[in-house]
Each structure stands twice: as C-alpha cells, then as structure tokens.
Amino acid sequence: MKEKMTSKHEVVVAIDFGTTYSGYAFSTTSEYQKDPTKISANSAWIAASAGLLSLKCPTCILFDKDQKFVNFGYEAEDKYANLALDNMHHEYYFFKQFKMSLHKNKDLNRDTLIEDESGKSMKAKTVFASGIRFLKNHAEELINTRGMSFEEWEIRWVVTVPAIWSDAAKQFMREAAQKAEIMNDQLLIALEPEAASVCCRHLPDAKGSDIFMPGSKYMVLDLGGGTADINVHQVVEDGSLRELHKASGGAWGGTRVDASFIRLLCAIVGDDVMEAFRREHPADYIDLLREFEVKKRNVKETMESSVNFRLPLALTELFETKKKMTFREALADSTYSDDVTPIADKIRIKPNLIQGMFRDPLVHLEDHIRCILAKPEVRGTSTLLLVGGFSESPIVQETMKRKFPRVKIVVPAECGLAVLKGAVIFGHEPKNISARVAKFTYGIAISKPFIEGHHPIEKKKVTQNGVICTDVFHKYVECGESMDVDNSQTLSFSAAKGCSSNRVRVYRSTASDPMFVTDDGCCLLGEVILTRNTDLNLSQKIDVSLTFGGTECSVVANDSQSGESFRSKFDFLNA
C-alpha cells in the first residue's frame, strides 16, 4: 500500500445519499492510522410505525406548506403518514426516492424543479441540500455525544455519487452540499463503486486474498436502489487501483422490483385506483411498500412457498367504491388469477410471479456485464464483487453465480454499507485510486488559420488578425483513454485585453477524434470561467490546465508570464 496521506483534517465524515436509503459514517485520523476499518455510524434508524431498525434511513424528506424543512428519513415518513390520517397532509411536500431525478434530467441546472409524491414542485437544489444538511447535523451531533469536538476546518466531508452520473450532476451535488453549509475546500466527491472497492480491500477476509494481489483484475457491481454502477479495477504494484474500463451501468436497481409489484396491483385494480390510493391514503401506501421491502429481501431462486402480503383495507374499499365490484372478483377476471390468491385481508403470490419481478433488472445487468467482460482491456477479470443494498438479495446473488459460473462471486459482509465505509477510507486517502478511464472525448473550441480546400467554407471567418477557421475541436482527452489522477493537460490562450472575465467553452464527444465542436456526438459540457484582476500587470497569455482524472473535472489557470494564479472554475450547470 501507498503511504497514508498527511492531512490537517482530524476526522472524515462520509454521507451516502442513496436513491432508497441514506446514511453517514466517520472515523478520526488517529483511528484510521491504527485501523482503517474502525469506522463509526449511527447504530440504528428506527421506523416507529413498523418497528423497523436499520443502519440507514429512507431517502424521504418532508417540507411544510411554506417549503420549510420538517424532517428526513423514517421520521419524515411517519410524520407524513400521521398528517394523512388527520387529512392535514395536502399542503405539505413529501419527496421519496428522488435522487434519480439528477441522472434522468439531461437539462439539469440550478433552477431544476422536482415533483413530490402529490405532484407539487420545489427546487431540486433546496430538496437535496436539506437532506444533506440533516445528515450533516445528525453526524455532528453523534460525534459530539461521543465526547469529540472538531472545528469546521478539521472535518473533511465526503459525499458519494454514482460513477455513471454526468459532470453536471456531480457539480449539482457539490453545490447542494455547499448550500448545506459544507465548505467547498472541505468537500470531496467520491464515486460509489470506487468507494466500495476501496472498502472491500480493507476487510479482514481480503488480507492474503489473491483478489487484491498486484496485477489482479476484478469487477465492482454496486447495486443500489436506483442504479447499477459498474467499475473494473486492477491492483497496481504500489497497492493503488487503476480503472480499466469507464464507469457504466443503468437504472437497474431494487426500485425496478418495487415498480413491478406496483404494476401487478395496477393490473388488478386499475391505474386510476392505485393513483387515488397513493394520493388519498399515503400512510397505507407507505406501509404497503415497507412490507414489500421486507418480503422481497427473502426472495430466492429455489423458493417453493408463496409470499403473503397484507392488502390495505383502504385500497380494497376504494376499489369497490370506484369499480362497483369486489377485489376478489377483479382478481378472478385478471391475468393473475392463477398466481395470486386472496385470503381474508391478504394476497398470496406464487414464487414464480414474485421471482419474475426481479427479471427485468437482472437481465439488463447480465447483458451489460457480458459486454464488459468481452472487452480486451478487462480480459482476465476473475472476480465479481457485489456491493450495495440490492446485492443483499438472495436471488440477485444466486442469479449472478448461475449466470457467471467461471467467475468468482464475492459478497462482503454488510455489503450494503460498503460504499459508505469506503467513502470514509477514500476521504483519508483519495489516492487509493491512481487512474481512471475517460468516459468521453473532452476538448475545447479554438480557432486556427483557415486552410483552403481543407476547412469547410462555413467555418471561415475574416478577422483583423487574419482569416481563421472557427469551432475547431482541440482534444485534451480521448474516450477510453487511461488518465492518471494527477495528470493534467495545458493549453495557452490569448486573453481579451482589459477584460476581467474570460470564458473558455468545454465540449465532450462520443467520437474519438472530432474535427469541430459542432460535429454529431459533440455537446457543450460547460464553461471555464477565468476571473482576473485587471489592476495587476498581467500578460495576455493564459495557461489553462484541465484535469479529467479525478472524480470531478478541475481547472487551474495562470498568467504565463508572471505565474500569477487567478480564479477559474467549471460551470456545467450553465452550459
């Protein structure tokens, strides 16, 4: 292993803001130096209405009619349920499983709105920032109750994000964390599968294991509630990890199973009844999903017994009022009459039907894994490392073992906490990851002398300095290229004279070698905003260094003559 980083930070606190569940964990620098796996977390989040106890809480958040924060997690669910019982919930804003809105939104910006469970909208940044602030404050309170006290500058905060997220989504989470009063220079963004990989290498079972020997290759499958996030790593001689294939994946998490269950009920009672039930009886709807969450964790490939679910009385009464027939009659007329049996206030679902609810995400996952394993750069990958909450499912583990018999399947203990614990370790030692693979070709728009017969006429522009070709794509990094985390590319620009602010537009492309930023597959990624002090005697040449090997793109700008640094940043949310 590489030497541990020396840092002014006395404690690292990681926040795992998940699609379905969220939590935090921490360790002090002194604890990490003695034992990297000595990591503390909130021992139990409690759901009062269901008597549930867990190491994470649901990613649910409640605001009042004035959009003021009320609560987060189980307490938000329970409060909203109680308000609904008193028919006082209509003016409140209740958000649940909203993280995927950042991944799905291709036009994400600072003013993006997201809808709550009843269709009312709030600014996404306010919602995310409020959730992060709750977890931040909760962590600080727990640290204080354990007799420890730290100044803000002594705390390094780590926020996890899926590796498949866009640069705009990562910047959005950073700005949401800043809005939650986490100082920018105290914050690291960690990629979830990387954090899980780092965690697994420190587990007791990993010591002496050939999985983590220098030269070995393994695939990390981070299967969460919303996404399947996949990385392939190789262990380098110095003990750090090198990414071999760009992060990939899709929306193939555990919520796809939940959606299948809801679709089954919709097929029986109708979409209109199910939507009315969700809106008019949110407490019962929450209890229904909580029960399904518990039951689905025990589904196996080989199970022979049917699974019982309590059917909320409010749902059957609502159905009978709207449809003028009994639920039993509707079930008998449905395509599920042979596989779903009504018994008193319950329904019994046959094994084949409930197992089929897992088929959609698992088929997508299998196909994607096979595509990656066929790539030349990952040949020799001998292990699949399953982490994330969805990986705890027996049927997920059994399916992976059956579909990939020649590959070793490893599911670490408490795999649902691997990302969270790994993020703490990453916070202490970010250089655990030494190289990453570019997901796109990155470059900037520049102008070159126009060459007749070579450049298209529509790109020709006459200026006082000569005839130029505009919109030329200057490549920094090529798609699929391996990048050391500290490696940066530098290009010199001519700054506008007397101008305090200069903008350089950054583009990405799916092509390996685009000629122009207007080519198919190219899109504006964001801007590098360079702010200079015009009172200083600076030259007109600016050296701009862009780094794409970290978890986030970064930029450094200097005056080429004096070496004077001036402020610069990427703005992916204002492209």
Side-chain angles (χ1 to χ4, degrees):
M1 285 292 291
K2 300 167 76 170
E3 279 187 33
K4 307 234 181 343
M5 289 179 63
T6 57
S7 171
K8 65 180 181 181
H9 302 96
E10 296 297 327
V11 62
V12 171
V13 185
I15 294 175
D16 181 13
F17 200 91
T19 300
T20 310
Y21 290 96
S22 295
Y24 64 84
F26 61 89
S27 73
T28 65
T29 300
S30 59
E31 288 173 331
Y32 177 75
Q33 290 171 345
K34 294 175 184 176
D35 179 4
T37 64
K38 185 174 176 55
I39 297 170
S40 302
N42 187 40
S43 56
W45 300 90
I46 302 172
S49 66
L52 295 173
L53 210 64
S54 66
L55 294 170
K56 288 185 178 181
C57 64
T59 308
C60 303
I61 190 165
L62 181 67
F63 298 88
D64 66 15
K65 62 183 178 62
D66 298 317
Q67 300 187 2
K68 297 291 179 60
F69 173 80
V70 176
N71 224 315
F72 186 88
Y74 284 122
E75 292 181 356
E77 280 189 338
D78 292 335
K79 174 71 173 177
Y80 187 65
N82 288 329
L83 287 167
L85 291 174
D86 296 326
N87 200 32
M88 296 172 58
H89 65 292
H90 299 290
E91 292 187 324
Y92 282 76
Y93 295 78
F94 181 63
F95 294 89
K96 184 182 180 72
Q97 296 183 0
F98 52 90
K99 180 181 175 182
M100 286 295 287
S101 62
L102 298 194
H103 179 62
K104 294 176 181 177
N105 194 326
K106 304 303 181 185
D107 300 313
L108 183 66
N109 60 65
R110 295 179 181 88
D111 296 319
T112 292
L113 300 175
I114 55 174
E115 291 187 352
D116 79 336
E117 290 294 286
S118 63
K120 298 189 295 296
S121 297
M122 278 182 62
K123 274 192 174 184
K125 183 177 281 190
T126 300
V127 177
F128 279 86
S130 297
I132 293 172
R133 183 183 293 110
F134 172 85
L135 293 168
K136 171 184 180 286
N137 293 342
H138 205 287
E140 290 176 333
E141 288 173 12
L142 181 57
I143 290 172
N144 288 333
T145 60
R146 297 194 177 180
M148 297 180 286
S149 180
F150 300 99
E151 299 291 338
E152 276 294 321
W153 59 269
E154 294 179 309
I155 305 174
R156 169 172 277 168
W157 295 92
V158 181
V159 173
T160 65
V161 301
I164 60 174
W165 267 15
S166 68
D167 294 295
K170 293 174 188 175
Q171 181 179 330
F172 183 96
M173 285 298 285
R174 175 172 284 277
E175 293 188 9
Q178 290 176 255
K179 187 176 175 68
E181 300 175 341
I182 294 177
M183 292 185 291
N184 190 46
D185 59 353
Q186 303 297 111
L187 175 64
L188 283 179
I189 298 296
L191 305 183
E192 289 168 359
E194 288 186 356
S197 181
V198 168
C199 172
C200 293
R201 293 184 59 225
H202 284 86
L203 295 176
D205 293 345
K207 294 178 180 178
S209 170
D210 57 359
I211 299 173
F212 303 106
M213 294 294 287
S216 64
K217 302 177 183 179
Y218 59 93
M219 180 181 290
V220 184
L221 306 179
D222 178 19
L223 310 181
T227 58
D229 217 4
I230 303 171
N231 264 157
V232 182
H233 287 149
Q234 182 172 35
V235 182
V236 186
E237 286 297 327
D238 64 2
S240 64
L241 300 175
R242 175 177 290 272
E243 189 179 55
L244 296 179
H245 184 271
K246 63 183 180 182
S248 60
W252 313 318
T255 54
R256 291 284 278 263
V257 183
D258 302 348
S260 292
F261 176 64
I262 296 300
R263 282 199 300 271
L264 181 149
L265 294 178
C266 286
I268 299 171
V269 303
D271 292 342
D272 57 335
V273 172
M274 203 64 198
E275 179 61 19
F277 171 63
R278 185 179 69 84
R279 290 179 181 271
E280 298 172 19
H281 303 277
D284 294 301
Y285 187 77
I286 288 170
D287 286 341
L288 176 67
L289 290 179
R290 280 181 176 176
E291 182 180 9
F292 181 73
E293 179 67 27
V294 172
K295 296 291 179 66
K296 82 176 185 182
R297 294 180 185 183
N298 298 313
V299 175
K300 301 178 179 179
E301 276 196 325
T302 55
M303 63 188 292
E304 298 179 355
S305 301
S306 296
V307 181
N308 298 332
F309 293 95
R310 185 185 67 81
L311 205 61
L313 181 61
L315 176 59
T316 55
E317 289 181 344
L318 184 66
F319 171 77
E320 291 171 3
T321 300
K322 285 182 173 289
K323 301 297 184 181
K324 309 304 182 186
M325 63 188 302
T326 67
F327 178 84
R328 185 181 291 270
E329 290 170 339
L331 181 57
D333 289 341
S334 75
T335 57
Y336 296 106
S337 58
D338 293 335
D339 296 314
V340 182
T341 306
I343 301 177
D345 64 341
K346 297 182 177 63
I347 53 173
R348 286 174 61 82
I349 302 179
K350 288 186 177 180
N352 64 298
L353 184 56
I354 197 163
Q355 288 162 344
M357 295 177 188
F358 289 79
R359 187 171 298 116
D360 176 60
L362 290 177
V363 166
H364 280 96
L365 189 60
E366 179 195 350
D367 291 345
H368 193 72
I369 292 171
R370 292 195 187 281
C371 287
I372 295 175
L373 290 176
K375 303 288 184 182
E377 62 270 25
V378 303
R379 285 177 186 163
T381 299
S382 58
T383 305
L384 299 187
L385 204 59
L386 268 59
V387 298
F390 195 34
S391 290
E392 295 177 340
S393 167
I395 192 171
V396 172
Q397 297 176 16
E398 292 163 353
T399 300
M400 290 297 102
K401 290 176 181 177
R402 178 169 56 83
K403 295 293 184 179
F404 300 97
R406 297 182 180 180
V407 180
K408 185 176 183 180
I409 307 295
V410 175
V411 186
E414 295 186 330
C415 61
L417 294 177
V419 168
L420 187 53
K421 291 184 175 181
V424 175
I425 298 171
F426 178 81
H428 284 290
E429 197 174 355
K431 291 191 177 180
N432 268 301
I433 309 296
S434 60
R436 296 182 175 91
V437 174
K439 295 164 67 174
F440 299 96
T441 297
Y442 294 94
I444 58 172
I446 66 170
S447 297
K448 285 185 174 182
F450 187 85
I451 302 173
E452 293 287 350
H454 177 68
H455 292 138
I457 193 67
E458 62 268 21
K459 300 295 183 184
K460 185 177 182 179
K461 184 178 181 180
V462 179
T463 71
Q464 60 182 5
N465 296 320
V467 182
I468 61 171
C469 179
T470 62
D471 295 331
V472 175
F473 192 110
H474 177 82
K475 182 168 62 177
Y476 273 79
V477 174
E478 186 174 313
C479 177
E481 181 181 341
S482 181
M483 307 170 293
D484 291 341
V485 294
D486 293 327
N487 185 38
S488 62
Q489 303 284 335
T490 302
L491 192 68
S492 294
F493 298 94
S494 294
K497 189 174 182 179
C499 183
S500 62
S501 180
N502 293 267
R503 294 171 181 265
V504 178
R505 296 205 159 194
V506 182
Y507 291 80
R508 77 179 190 195
S509 174
T510 54
S512 299
D513 197 20
M515 181 173 289
F516 298 103
V517 297
T518 53
D519 289 353
D520 290 341
C522 290
C523 67
L524 178 62
L525 185 62
E527 291 181 320
V528 180
I529 303 172
L530 311 174
T531 305
R532 316 173 80 205
N533 185 348
T534 55
D535 293 333
L536 298 177
N537 184 26
L538 299 175
S539 71
Q540 296 305 108
K541 289 293 185 180
I542 303 173
D543 293 328
V544 180
S545 299
L546 278 69
T547 302
F548 296 94
T551 57
E552 301 171 273
C553 297
S554 62
V555 59
V556 176
N558 295 279
D559 180 82
S560 61
Q561 180 177 310
S562 66
E564 184 79 28
S565 293
F566 44 93
R567 293 204 313 270
S568 53
K569 67 175 183 177
F570 270 117
D571 190 355
F572 298 117
L573 297 171
N574 194 32

